[in-house]
Amino acid sequence: MTAFPTPFTFSQSSLQDYADCPRRFQLRCINQLSWPAVDAEPVVENERRQIEGQLFHRLVQQYYLGLPSENLSLMANTPNLERWWQNFTNTDMKGLRDLSGIYPELTLSAPIGNHRLVAKYDLAAVQNGQVTIYDWKTYARRPRDEWMAARWQTRVYRALLVQAGAHLNSGNSFEPEQIEMVYWYADYPSEPTRFKYDADQFKRDWSAIEKVVHEISSAEDFPLTEDEKMCRYCVYRSYCNRGTQAGQMDAAEGETESETTFDINFEQIGEIEF
Ligand code: SF4
């Protein structure tokens, strides 16, 4: 086993890979192995939905950057995009555009041990001393709130905002109680998931992140998961000899959405002091 690359840039998706399957973390995040298997059936529909999900994120980003809604509507030109865009324009999140403290596609980074932790937020909105993290999801099925609560994304995004978000708050770190995270589901527009935050949760989260980063960076090996259900939606199935048939997209709980909606060039992200 070669030495763990240092410094390594961790993200919510690499931590989630490790939680789902240590071998997947190794193949994807260390070896950066491209493997040509599909992650969910039906293939064409899944691929189309992933591309549409990325386009939807770009539409919303451009909306918050100030592009006229009428122009963006013209680009919502498939049934899924049209429906998601319509759902979005019917929400009161539209009004966030008028706030002065609005940060679409915000990237934050903080040191963690000898490594770095990075997150790219769809939107952060600061208003009346509170900050709300918004994350758009184009999942085919609305996941359970408990499932979302346990995702590394939910823990990393809120904790990293405490650690590295002071520049959004006149130079003062946000208190955990000032933070809320909202997952908005484009196909379930009136059923968002909202997660508040508090100091105890923050303490637990940051300590869990430090612990797992230490565990990963000192691991001797990265075993295959014992939970073979994870393999059904994994592109490395044939590589790992864990079957050739992908799971059904409509049976998955969230997993089929591409987590890397926007490419992050980690090396170009300046470290943010905290
Ligand atoms: S196929 Fe299964 S064992 Fe292999 S990387 Fe994917 S989840 Fe892990």
Side-chain angles (χ1 to χ4, degrees):
M1 173 79 196
T2 52
F4 188 78
T6 303
F8 188 86
T9 301
F10 288 91
S11 66
Q12 49 92 10
S13 78
S14 62
L15 293 181
Q16 193 63 52
D17 275 336
Y18 183 77
D20 291 346
C21 172
R23 181 61 55 87
R24 188 192 294 168
F25 172 88
Q26 181 189 32
L27 295 174
R28 180 177 286 158
C29 308
I30 301 179
N31 301 351
Q32 299 183 352
L33 177 71
S34 297
W35 197 251
V38 296
D39 53 8
E41 295 279 4
V43 180
V44 174
E45 193 184 330
N46 181 42
E47 283 180 355
R48 188 177 57 225
R49 196 175 178 100
Q50 290 203 11
I51 292 167
E52 288 172 326
Q54 293 174 9
L55 286 172
F56 176 72
H57 277 74
R58 291 214 169 90
L59 281 182
V60 176
Q61 178 197 16
Q62 289 176 344
Y63 174 81
Y64 285 117
L65 290 173
L67 268 72
S69 186
E70 311 75 65
N71 296 16
L72 294 171
S73 301
L74 299 175
M75 293 159 70
N77 55 6
T78 69
N80 279 343
L81 273 172
E82 200 177 338
R83 185 177 67 257
W84 297 338
W85 182 248
Q86 189 69 44
N87 288 343
F88 173 75
T89 55
N90 285 338
T91 67
D92 54 8
M93 291 183 302
K94 246 185 103 182
L96 295 173
R97 186 158 80 161
D98 302 327
L99 295 179
S100 51
I102 188 147
Y103 304 92
E105 295 307 315
L106 169 75
T107 301
L108 296 181
S109 163
I112 183 119
N114 295 326
H115 305 285
R116 287 199 293 168
L117 180 67
V118 170
K120 191 160 188 181
Y121 300 74
D122 286 344
L123 182 74
V126 183
Q127 187 179 24
N128 302 329
Q130 294 291 122
V131 54
T132 308
I133 300 162
Y134 290 93
D135 196 82
W136 328 120
K137 295 291 187 200
T138 54
Y139 294 153
R141 273 180 57 197
R142 187 195 183 287
R144 288 167 297 121
D145 292 354
E146 302 73 31
W147 190 82
M148 293 307 287
R151 305 292 290 170
W152 271 113
Q153 181 176 17
T154 307
R155 307 177 75 183
V156 165
Y157 277 35
R158 293 179 302 175
L160 192 57
L161 190 55
V162 175
Q163 292 283 29
H167 62 297
L168 311 181
N169 192 35
S170 312
N172 302 311
S173 298
F174 284 110
E175 295 297 328
E177 288 76 8
Q178 291 176 278
I179 294 175
E180 184 178 33
M181 180 156 186
V182 176
Y183 288 105
W184 183 77
Y185 307 102
D187 261 326
Y188 303 87
S190 56
E191 300 173 59
T193 308
R194 308 184 87 92
F195 293 113
K196 302 257 187 219
Y197 211 33
D198 62 37
D200 285 345
Q201 284 177 295
F202 167 67
K203 220 169 134 191
R204 278 201 302 274
D205 284 346
W206 196 254
S207 142
I209 294 166
E210 286 180 322
K211 185 162 172 268
V212 73
V213 163
H214 177 73
E215 180 182 314
I216 295 172
S217 54
S218 51
E220 294 285 315
D221 66 348
F222 293 90
L224 284 67
T225 178
E226 289 174 9
D227 179 2
E228 297 202 16
K229 286 200 299 297
M230 291 293 171
C231 306
R232 280 190 231 146
Y233 302 98
C234 178
V235 292
Y236 299 119
R237 279 187 316 280
S238 54
Y239 184 88
C240 296
N241 215 4
R242 286 280 176 94
T244 52
Q245 185 67 39
Q248 289 294 318
M249 182 174 74
D250 58 5
E253 186 155 31
E255 291 91 336
T256 57
E257 185 184 68
S258 168
E259 293 289 354
T260 49
T261 305
F262 289 89
D263 292 332
I264 302 181
N265 185 341
F266 293 120
E267 297 315 314
Q268 290 178 358
I269 298 167
E271 202 86 326
I272 294 168
E273 296 293 329
F274 68 94

